[in-house]
Amino acid sequence: MAFPYKTLGSGTDMQCEWETNNSNNDTNAHHYDWVQRTAYKEGICIPQHLQHSFHVFSSAEAIDCLSTKTTLVLSGDSYMQQMFFGVADILLSKAVMNGKEFRGKTDRRKALIIVQKELDQRRNDDPCFPRLLWAAGNDECYGLLKPFSERCSTLINSYTAINNDTVAVVGSMVHLLDRNSLNTTIKEIQNFLTLTKQTVWVSGVSHQIEKVPEQYKLKMANTNYERGYNQLLQNLAPMDIRHPYLDVWQMTSSCIMDDCSYDGHHRSRFVNRWKAQMLLNTICEKVK
């Protein structure tokens, strides 16, 4: 699907309820692969207005779609790193690194290197396999360095300028809000969106404050992430079709089961695979 891709929706339109075992009543269930069977078993969350159009991609279908793109580049904060693992799980048709939860910054960064090597090796073995990259650079898109808009856009444009078929997927709200006022954060993201091409912006995730470790709980409770999320909506599709948007706030907000998050904000592997399914529904044509 060509830029600006497809908008699934945003805000309250993306509210959904998590369900499991829906495949039991599906006459096509016997055709499902590991990715689809695991999704239906662990949980899916489809907004009401997408019930008849949202597709749960198999690994083969995801590969078929993404192989038409020159490169799929992800970058941003730790939530985006988790989304990268979700996409990798789908493309490799397995829970990479045995489904381990990466509970710290160091673990996540080590895992990024290992998973990237596995993806690159698969592509070396099969030239038709999609090129999925984590654009780390020097943390330009993580949200800690200023000015975010200039640093991150320069990194992303170094990929998208190479070929019009490259898709960039970026998200970084939590660290920006930690270090800037709400207005400055919104302006920085607006500037970033103006400066980049072929880029999908991904929302932050909703937090389960009761599960956040005590040393971070007060800070996270006092930072109005939800206000930032709501204020940014007017700058993103569908309100501004020029800026493709993937709203994962609503589906993480409704994921309140014990296994949805291990620390109240970083989400479990099955949730990140569902983020990846949402991304596929944004940039891929619907499977016939």
Side-chain angles (χ1 to χ4, degrees), residues 146-160:
K146 297 181 180 181
F148 168 81
S149 57
E150 293 180 17
R151 288 175 177 270
C152 187
S153 63
T154 298
L155 174 65
I156 295 304
N157 287 338
S158 69
Y159 291 93
T160 58

Side-chain angles (χ1 to χ4, degrees), residues 94-256:
K94 67 177 185 178
V96 294
M97 297 188 68
N98 298 316
K100 176 183 177 182
E101 297 290 359
F102 311 114
R103 295 176 178 270
K105 185 176 182 179
T106 301
D107 279 352
R108 279 190 294 273
R109 296 198 175 212
K110 287 180 179 177
L112 284 170
I113 295 172
I114 294 170
V115 173
Q116 185 69 72
K117 287 182 178 178
E118 184 170 359
L119 289 163
D120 293 345
Q121 184 58 56
R122 176 71 180 273
R123 183 171 169 81
N124 286 337
D125 296 339
D126 178 5
C128 293
F129 190 77
R131 188 173 184 226
L132 172 63
L133 296 177
W134 175 256
N138 292 308
D139 279 349
E140 288 91 342
C141 296
Y142 198 77
L144 300 178
L145 304 176
K146 297 181 180 181
F148 168 81
S149 57
E150 293 180 17
R151 288 175 177 270
C152 187
S153 63
T154 298
L155 174 65
I156 295 304
N157 287 338
S158 69
Y159 291 93
T160 58
I162 297 173
N163 194 295
N164 289 334
D165 287 332
T166 297
V167 180
V169 186
V170 181
S172 183
M173 172 71 85
V174 61
H175 296 302
L176 290 174
L177 273 176
D178 284 347
R179 288 160 176 78
N180 302 281
S181 69
L182 176 58
N183 286 339
T184 298
T185 296
I186 299 300
K187 287 179 180 178
E188 276 296 290
I189 296 174
Q190 286 175 322
N191 289 340
F192 168 80
L193 294 168
T194 301
L195 292 169
T196 53
K197 300 177 180 179
Q198 295 133 244
T199 301
V200 178
W201 183 263
V202 183
S203 76
V205 301
S206 177
H207 297 150
Q208 294 175 281
I209 294 297
E210 69 279 3
K211 296 182 72 173
V212 173
E214 288 299 326
Q215 64 266 37
Y216 304 118
K217 188 172 291 185
L218 182 61
K219 179 182 179 182
M220 295 189 77
N222 289 338
T223 303
N224 201 331
Y225 300 115
E226 186 168 8
R227 187 179 171 200
Y229 157 75
N230 286 323
Q231 191 160 328
L232 193 59
L233 291 179
Q234 61 187 311
N235 302 291
L236 299 160
M239 296 188 71
D240 187 340
I241 201 65
R242 297 171 300 173
H243 299 145
Y245 183 46
L246 185 59
D247 187 337
V248 301
W249 178 281
Q250 297 293 338
M251 72 93 161
T252 53
S253 178
S254 66
C255 195
I256 57 175

Side-chain angles (χ1 to χ4, degrees), residues 7-18:
T7 300
L8 300 182
S10 65
T12 55
D13 282 347
M14 293 302 289
Q15 290 178 349
C16 58
E17 296 294 331
W18 283 87

